Amino acid sequence: MDLVMVNLAYVEAAECLSEPVNREPPSREAQLLTLQNTSEFDVLVIGGGATGSGCALDAVTRGLKTALVERDDFSSGTSSRSTKLIHGGVRYLQKAIMKLDIEQYRMVKEALHERANLLEIAPHLSAPLPIMLPIYKWWQLPYYWVGIKLYDLVAGSNCLKSSYVLSKSRALEHFPMLQKDKLVGAIVYYDGQHNDARMNLAIALTAARYGAATANYMEVVSLLKKTDPQTGKERVSGARCKDVLTGQEFDVRAKCVINATGPFTDSVRKMDDKNAEAICQPSAGVHIVMPGYYSPESMGLLDPATSDGRVIFFLPWQKMTIAGTTDTPTAITHHPIPSEEDINFILNEVRNYLSCDVEVRRGDVLAAWSGIRPLVTDPKSADTQSISRNHVVDISESGLITIAGGKWTTYRSMAEDTINAAIKTHNLKAGPSRTVGLFLQGGKDWSPTLYIRLVQDYGLESEVAQHLAATYGDKAFEVAKMASVTGKRWPIVGVRLVSEFPYIEAEVKYGIKEYACTAVDMISRRTRLAFLNVQAAEEALPRIVELMGRELNWDDRKKQEELETARKFLYYEMGYKSRSEQLTDRSEISLLPSDIDREYKKRFHKFDADQKGFITIVDVQRVLESISVQMDENTLHEILNEVDLNKNGQVELNEFLQLMSAIQKGRVSGSRLAILMKTAEENLDRRVPIPVDRSCGGF
C-alpha cells in the first residue's frame, strides 16, 4: 500500500522532475489501484508499444499526471518484431534525393538525430553496427559511395563512424561467407542495433519510475465522453478499461486521451466516431533467425535491391543471425503468422549473397515471425490515398489525439510531437519535452566492464554476466542477487534455463517485477528465447511455468493453461508450425534406391537388429549399452518423438527414410536421432561417446 501512496502522491504533483520518484517501478497491483483511485489524469495513453510508452514518458517527465494502458503486454505487437535496427534509413535518403522529396529528407535527418539519442540513453541495450554493402558491378561503386557519404553528411555531428570502402580481398576478410564471384569490393557504413522488446520495456519501466500509472493487460472497451459546457460538443474524457486477467472493469478519466495503438489505430478511432475513415494500411514484415555462423559476429549485410525490389538486411543479433524483412499487404490481427512463402523468399535472397560453400538450409531457420507495420494515410491531406512516410498526429472533433505511422527509431520525437499537440489542444499546463538525454532504466550507471563485477562479486560465468549487463544494465546486480546456487565449483550461481543460452532462472523471478504476467511474456519479451530458437524456448517452458507459478500462486490448471498458450504462440507466431511442415508422415522420400539399400537401411538395421521394421526405445538403449553410453530415458523419448511422425511410440523404416530425405534436402537440420544413429554406426567398434545435444536446434 506504501507504493500506492507514493504513486498517488506523485500524480497529484504538477512539476517537472529531474529524478524518478520511485527507485523501482510499483507493482502491477499498485498501478491498478492508482488507475482506479485517481479522480482525473491529465493524459491517458492507450497502447504500450514504443510510441505509446514514449508518450507516457514524455508526458510524466513534464509533470503531467499520466496513465498508460495496454491490452496485451508491453511491446507485444510490432515493437518487438522489428529488424532490431536504430537507423535513419539509407533507402529513404536515396528516394529523397532521386525524387527531390523534402519530407523524406527531413524524416531521415530526424531519425539520425534520434538514433544518436537512443544510443546515448540506453547504452546497455544498443550499440553501433557496421553494415556492409557488397558491390558486384564497377559502376555501382561510385553510385553507392556517394549515397552512403551523403548519409554520413546528413547525420552531421550525429554520425556514428565514417563509412569506408573495402577492396574485394578486405571485404572477404571481414565477411568470409560472402559470394566472391564477380565481387568488386564493398562499402561499409554504420547504423545502430538494439534489443527492441527490452528497449520498449525500458521506456515503459522508466515512465513508471517517474510516476506514470502503467498497466499491461488492461483493455480499453469504450471511450468515455462528456459535454463541453462552453461549446455544447461532446469531448473524450477517458476510457472504460477491463483487466484482461481478472475481468474487472472500471473507468479511467483523463483530460486528454492519446491513441497510440499502431496497427489497431482505426479500432480506437471508431470508438470515438463510428464513421471515421480508416487511415491504417497494414504491411507485414517477416524475419527469420539462423545460426550465428551464417554471419560475422560484428558486421551486418545489406542487400539494397532484391529480386522484387525490396531491401533485405542480414545481421548478427544476440549471437544469432537475423534476416529480413518482407513488405506485403496484410490483414490486421493480434496474432500475425510468418508464411512459408516469405521465409523461402528471404532464404533465396540470402543464398544469392553467400558463397556456394555455405549451404543455406531451410532446416537452419531457428525462429520466424511476422510484424505488422502500421503505414498510414494523413486524414488531413488532400490526397487521402497517399501513404505518409512520416508520422501523423491527428486530432478528432471530440479531442481524441491519434499518433500513427513513423518508425521505431523516431518514437521519442513522435511522442514529443504528440504531447505538444495534447498540451495545445487541451490547455494542459506543462513545460517543454525533457526526454532528450534522459537515461532509460538500466542505462545511467552501465559501463562496458560492468559484467566483470558480476563475475567477481557473484560467481556468475562470464557469458551469463555479459548477457545480464547487456539486458538489464545497472539493474543486473538485482538479478544476480536472485540467482540460485548451482552446486558446482563454477559457476557458483546462475542456473541456466537451457544449456546453450545465457538466460538464467533468476530472470524469471525478476521478470515478474517487470510486469510479466504470462509464460509468453517471459519467453518472448523478458527473455528473447522465442525469437532466437523456438525449440529451446519450448524446452525451457516447463521450468519457466513452474517458477512463475511459484511466484504468482498458479494452481495446476493455470500452469497447464499457460503451457498450452505458450506452445500455441511458438507454433503459430514464432515459426514452429513451419518446422512440423518440413517433416510429416506425408513427406516424400527422394533418396536414390542404391543409397537406401547400401547406406540407410544398413544404418537402420544396426538398431532394428531383429528386423521387425521399426525402432523403439529398447532398441536404442541396447545399442547405446553395447558402446557403454548411458542416456536418460526421458531424453530418449524426446529424441524418438521428434521422428515418430504417426505418434505410435516407435520409429518405422519409412519415417527414418523420410527424415534422411528431409535432411538431404536441407529442410531439417540438427536431428538428434540422425546424428545418434550415424555416430553409433561409425563408432560401434571404437567405443566413442555419442553427442546427443541439439546441434544449433534448426528445423
Side-chain angles (χ1 to χ4, degrees):
M1 195 63 186
D2 288 342
L3 285 173
V4 181
M5 297 307 295
V6 168
N7 223 19
L8 280 171
Y10 170 69
V11 294
E12 293 300 330
E15 60 182 9
C16 296
L17 294 174
S18 58
E19 293 293 332
V21 295
N22 301 311
R23 184 176 179 276
E24 296 296 333
S27 68
R28 183 174 182 273
E29 291 71 24
Q31 297 284 39
L32 292 179
L33 284 171
T34 302
L35 286 171
Q36 287 179 268
N37 296 337
T38 302
S39 57
E40 185 180 51
F41 289 94
D42 292 319
V43 173
L44 168 63
V45 182
I46 306 172
T51 304
S53 299
C55 286
L57 180 58
D58 191 283
V60 76
T61 51
R62 297 194 199 202
L64 295 170
K65 291 185 290 184
T66 304
L68 168 67
V69 293
E70 159 61 46
R71 73 170 295 279
D72 204 302
D73 185 27
F74 302 115
S75 197
S76 58
T78 307
S79 295
S80 63
R81 306 177 190 224
S82 73
T83 312
K84 323 303 180 194
L85 284 177
I86 310 169
H87 63 133
V90 173
R91 57 179 173 154
Y92 296 125
L93 181 61
Q94 180 190 25
K95 291 177 182 177
I97 295 168
M98 299 297 287
K99 298 181 180 180
L100 300 177
D101 188 333
I102 191 66
E103 181 192 354
Q104 290 224 40
Y105 171 79
R106 286 172 180 159
M107 183 183 72
V108 173
K109 191 168 183 64
E110 176 187 59
L112 290 170
H113 172 266
E114 294 301 323
R115 178 188 71 178
N117 182 65
L118 198 47
L119 288 166
E120 179 187 344
I121 65 176
H124 58 303
L125 292 169
S126 60
L129 176 72
I131 299 175
M132 180 183 289
L133 182 63
I135 306 295
Y136 287 91
K137 295 177 181 176
W138 279 108
W139 67 265
Q140 291 179 333
L141 193 57
Y143 174 77
Y144 284 123
W145 183 83
V146 170
I148 294 297
K149 279 300 175 186
L150 282 172
Y151 192 60
D152 290 349
L153 188 64
V154 173
S157 62
N158 294 317
C159 182
L160 301 179
K161 290 184 182 179
S162 184
S163 57
Y164 56 91
V165 176
L166 289 174
S167 65
K168 176 179 179 178
S169 60
R170 291 284 289 159
L172 291 171
E173 278 181 33
H174 286 281
F175 212 116
M177 56 285 293
L178 198 61
Q179 171 64 262
K180 63 187 79 159
D181 293 342
K182 298 182 180 178
L183 181 68
V184 172
I187 300 170
V188 176
Y189 74 97
Y190 286 81
D191 257 325
Q193 188 178 52
H194 69 152
N195 185 337
D196 53 2
R198 292 293 317 182
M199 185 74 80
N200 190 159
L201 186 62
I203 300 166
L205 291 171
T206 306
R209 288 182 63 207
Y210 273 91
T214 60
N216 53 353
Y217 294 99
M218 286 298 295
E219 180 179 7
V220 170
V221 293
S222 63
L223 295 177
L224 305 177
K225 291 189 177 183
K226 66 179 180 182
T227 303
D228 187 328
Q230 293 182 335
T231 63
K233 293 182 179 180
E234 279 197 327
R235 305 285 288 176
V236 173
S237 60
R240 181 73 174 175
C241 296
K242 176 183 177 181
D243 186 338
V244 176
L245 303 179
T246 65
Q248 180 189 14
E249 290 190 15
F250 54 85
D251 292 341
V252 178
R253 299 198 174 273
K255 295 172 185 173
C256 170
V257 177
I258 294 172
N259 171 19
T261 53
F264 305 99
T265 292
D266 289 323
S267 62
V268 177
R269 292 177 74 246
K270 289 181 186 297
M271 286 184 190
D272 174 38
D273 176 6
K274 63 181 180 181
N275 297 317
E277 290 187 18
I279 63 170
C280 186
Q281 299 191 18
S283 172
V286 171
H287 295 82
I288 63 173
V289 167
M290 305 176 78
Y293 56 70
Y294 273 95
S295 66
E297 284 186 17
S298 57
M299 183 167 287
L301 183 78
L302 168 64
D303 177 357
T306 62
S307 55
D308 67 349
R310 309 181 205 181
V311 170
I312 290 284
F313 286 98
F314 192 62
L315 310 167
W317 184 68
Q318 302 282 307
K319 298 189 177 179
M320 295 294 179
T321 301
I322 183 172
T325 178
T326 59
D327 185 7
T328 51
T330 186
I332 296 174
T333 172
H334 289 288
H335 307 289
I337 298 171
S339 71
E340 187 65 20
E341 181 183 356
D342 282 333
I343 291 171
N344 284 320
F345 167 80
I346 296 171
L347 286 173
N348 286 333
E349 293 303 323
V350 169
R351 288 187 186 102
N352 291 338
Y353 273 87
L354 294 191
S355 166
C356 56
D357 297 335
V358 180
E359 183 186 357
V360 180
R361 304 180 297 183
R362 175 62 182 82
D364 281 340
V365 176
L366 309 178
W369 68 85
S370 176
I372 300 178
R373 187 181 176 206
L375 304 174
V376 292
T377 55
D378 187 345
K380 299 292 190 293
S381 171
D383 180 9
T384 57
Q385 298 303 308
S386 176
I387 292 177
S388 173
R389 298 172 184 86
N390 213 327
H391 62 270
V392 171
V393 178
D394 178 56
I395 304 166
S396 73
E397 289 187 7
S398 61
L400 175 69
I401 296 180
T402 295
I403 172 66
K407 52 195 292 188
W408 221 121
T409 307
T410 59
Y411 85 89
R412 194 213 60 81
S413 61
M414 292 167 64
E416 181 180 345
D417 289 349
T418 305
I419 301 304
N420 285 343
I423 291 169
K424 182 178 179 181
T425 304
H426 295 275
N427 298 315
L428 303 176
K429 294 181 180 178
S433 176
R434 301 166 58 86
T435 51
V436 172
L438 181 75
F439 279 106
L440 300 183
Q441 169 146 315
K444 188 174 183 181
D445 295 320
W446 174 87
S447 74
T449 58
L450 183 145
Y451 79 95
I452 297 174
R453 287 175 56 199
L454 292 171
V455 175
Q456 294 175 337
D457 294 354
Y458 295 94
L460 288 161
E461 56 187 307
S462 183
E463 185 186 10
V464 170
Q466 288 176 321
H467 152 68
L468 294 181
T471 302
Y472 304 97
D474 58 33
K475 298 293 180 184
F477 295 101
E478 296 179 23
V479 184
K481 289 174 186 175
M482 297 179 176
S484 304
V485 175
T486 64
K488 302 175 184 177
R489 184 184 62 79
W490 189 264
I492 298 170
V493 300
V495 178
R496 293 194 182 209
L497 288 167
V498 281
S499 60
E500 67 264 53
F501 288 95
Y503 298 107
I504 59 174
E505 291 183 355
E507 293 180 77
V508 177
K509 194 172 181 180
Y510 191 78
I512 293 170
K513 292 179 65 176
E514 296 181 319
Y515 304 134
C517 299
T518 70
V520 172
D521 297 344
M522 204 64 73
I523 61 174
S524 58
R525 293 174 288 274
R526 301 312 180 278
T527 73
R528 304 311 306 274
L529 266 176
F531 283 80
L532 295 170
N533 189 318
V534 289
Q535 285 182 291
E538 187 184 44
E539 282 181 23
L541 262 179
R543 183 59 179 160
I544 287 173
V545 169
E546 187 62 36
L547 292 167
M548 291 189 75
R550 203 179 292 167
E551 295 293 318
L552 298 172
N553 299 314
W554 290 345
D555 58 21
D556 290 341
R557 183 193 61 79
K558 175 62 174 173
K559 289 178 186 176
Q560 188 59 36
E561 181 183 300
E562 286 293 323
L563 272 174
E564 290 173 2
T565 301
R567 284 171 178 154
K568 185 177 179 182
F569 167 79
L570 291 173
Y571 185 77
Y572 288 106
E573 295 184 52
M574 300 309 300
Y576 219 150
K577 180 175 183 288
S578 299
R579 177 234 184 228
S580 62
E581 291 171 349
Q582 301 311 309
L583 180 63
T584 70
D585 56 3
R586 298 181 301 279
S587 295
E588 292 182 5
I589 299 172
S590 57
L591 303 169
L592 293 173
S594 57
D595 288 342
I596 292 175
D597 293 331
R598 185 180 68 251
E599 181 179 352
Y600 298 115
K601 282 187 177 180
K602 176 186 171 187
R603 186 176 306 161
F604 185 83
H605 291 312
K606 291 279 186 184
F607 287 76
D608 180 24
D610 48 4
Q611 306 284 306
K612 48 188 191 301
F614 59 84
I615 295 170
T616 65
I617 284 181
V618 174
D619 295 319
V620 178
Q621 285 175 325
R622 175 183 52 78
V623 172
L624 294 180
E625 286 172 5
S626 72
I627 55 175
S628 304
V629 173
Q630 297 293 321
M631 194 178 299
D632 177 70
E633 190 170 327
N634 288 332
T635 303
L636 283 176
H637 269 292
E638 290 175 9
I639 290 173
L640 263 67
N641 193 53
E642 290 173 2
V643 190
D644 179 14
L645 304 178
N646 57 14
K647 303 305 175 189
N648 63 354
Q650 57 200 30
V651 175
E652 291 146 13
L653 174 61
N654 203 58
E655 290 173 324
F656 174 69
L657 295 176
Q658 286 173 316
L659 170 65
M660 293 297 103
S661 182
I663 290 173
Q664 190 181 80
K665 289 179 179 178
R667 292 183 174 277
V668 172
S669 67
S671 167
R672 291 186 284 180
L673 182 64
I675 293 170
L676 184 149
M677 292 178 72
K678 183 177 181 181
T679 312
E681 181 184 39
E682 294 171 348
N683 295 287
L684 272 170
D685 295 330
R686 287 181 286 172
R687 304 294 188 266
V688 175
I690 302 172
V692 293
D693 286 342
R694 235 185 311 102
S695 163
C696 82
F699 52 81

